[in-house]
Amino acid sequence: NIKGIIFDLDGVICSTDEYHYQAWKSIADDEGIYFDRKINERLRGVSRAESLEIILERAAAVYSPEEKAALMEKKNNIYRELLKNMGPGDVTEEVRSTLRELKERGYGLAIGSSSKNTRFILERTALTDAFDGISDGNMISRSKPDPEVFIKAAGILGLKNEECFVIEDAISGINAANAAGFHSVGIGPAAECDEAEFKISFFSEILDI
Ligand code: BG6
Ligand code: MG
């Protein structure tokens, strides 16, 4: 008996996953570290700090904690510059009307994102009011595949984990959902993985599960 739906943000609600890639690519290029879209798939859903560690696996040099902090700040500044170009038009009509319809059907709707930029993105795209709760990267100490961010989201909705769908584009997010008894729904890259309980090829298909 599903009562709530928890949505990942980057790559599910909007295409900010592409901006994350561009920002990290520019950092990797500056540092002379090989980075491509295949490696980028491993960054989906994981925190900024863990994303950097994955990129640095291919670095020749060893980076100090201070140097890592500087790279993360530089990446976030590039990313935020890209986000400034975003507006309401960057969320599709399909996403907006599906969220409206789900709300009309009485589901509790929440965001469950590892990103510390979640609220900024929701404001820029005029989506803050579409959700009953927001659980984001500022509220957690462990990022996906740990289920903390989804457990917090279900708590905000006042629902049990097993009463919620989790919609994810990241395999790390699907694993996080499964680890804590949520019903996982894969979209995009996560629709290719065996771990997803349900698979959808476009957003409005949520209405038919
Ligand atoms: C997730 C993205 O939503 O947020 C990851 O899928 C990203 O790629 C993570 O690293 C953290 O984002 P931010 O905005 O806090 O750097
Ligand atoms: Mg995502």
Side-chain angles (χ1 to χ4, degrees):
N1 190 6
I2 300 297
K3 296 179 182 163
I5 307 178
I6 301 169
F7 299 87
D8 172 53
L9 177 67
D10 299 318
V12 171
I13 297 290
C14 50
S15 303
T16 37
D17 49 336
E18 175 62 23
Y19 294 155
H20 277 295
Y21 169 71
Q22 286 174 20
W24 280 127
K25 178 69 179 151
S26 134
I27 297 292
D29 287 352
D30 280 357
E31 297 297 312
I33 301 168
Y34 180 77
F35 182 59
D36 63 19
R37 285 182 186 274
K38 183 157 182 281
I39 303 166
N40 183 61
E41 286 302 310
R42 292 174 55 205
L43 274 42
R44 285 184 192 274
V46 311
S47 69
R48 198 180 305 164
E50 289 165 86
S51 297
L52 178 62
E53 293 300 335
I54 291 169
I55 289 166
L56 293 182
E57 284 172 8
R58 282 170 183 75
V62 174
Y63 289 77
S64 70
E66 293 74 23
E67 286 166 332
K68 288 179 186 178
L71 287 180
M72 282 193 275
E73 194 188 335
K74 193 172 159 196
K75 183 269 178 176
N76 196 46
N77 288 340
I78 298 170
Y79 180 59
R80 300 268 297 198
E81 277 307 310
L82 294 168
L83 293 182
K84 281 185 191 157
N85 300 319
M86 285 186 90
D90 289 288
V91 170
T92 62
E93 193 43 46
E94 181 192 12
V95 167
R96 279 183 205 281
S97 60
T98 302
L99 292 173
R100 270 198 305 271
E101 174 65 23
L102 291 170
K103 200 166 247 192
E104 267 170 41
R105 293 186 188 179
Y107 293 103
L109 306 182
I111 290 285
S113 168
S114 306
S115 173
K116 296 184 173 173
N117 292 297
T118 294
R119 284 182 184 272
F120 182 65
I121 294 165
L122 292 176
E123 274 158 36
R124 292 226 49 99
T125 54
L127 266 184
T128 310
D129 293 342
F131 299 96
D132 304 298
I134 295 166
S135 173
D136 70 20
N138 298 297
M139 302 161 63
I140 54 171
S141 47
R142 299 175 302 277
S143 95
K144 302 167 188 175
D146 188 286
E148 187 179 9
V149 77
F150 297 139
I151 293 170
K152 288 238 158 84
I156 296 167
L157 294 176
L159 296 175
K160 299 191 184 107
N161 301 357
E162 59 268 29
E163 294 174 325
C164 300
F165 277 142
V166 165
I167 320 291
E168 262 292 350
D169 69 315
I171 294 161
S172 61
I174 294 291
N175 289 334
N178 292 341
F182 293 93
H183 297 280
S184 58
V185 181
I187 187 168
E192 313 294 321
C193 76
D194 292 337
E195 290 87 345
E197 186 179 343
F198 299 93
K199 295 164 199 219
I200 57 175
S201 40
F202 48 92
F203 193 86
S204 55
E205 251 182 277
I206 299 165
L207 297 169
D208 305 323
I209 298 178

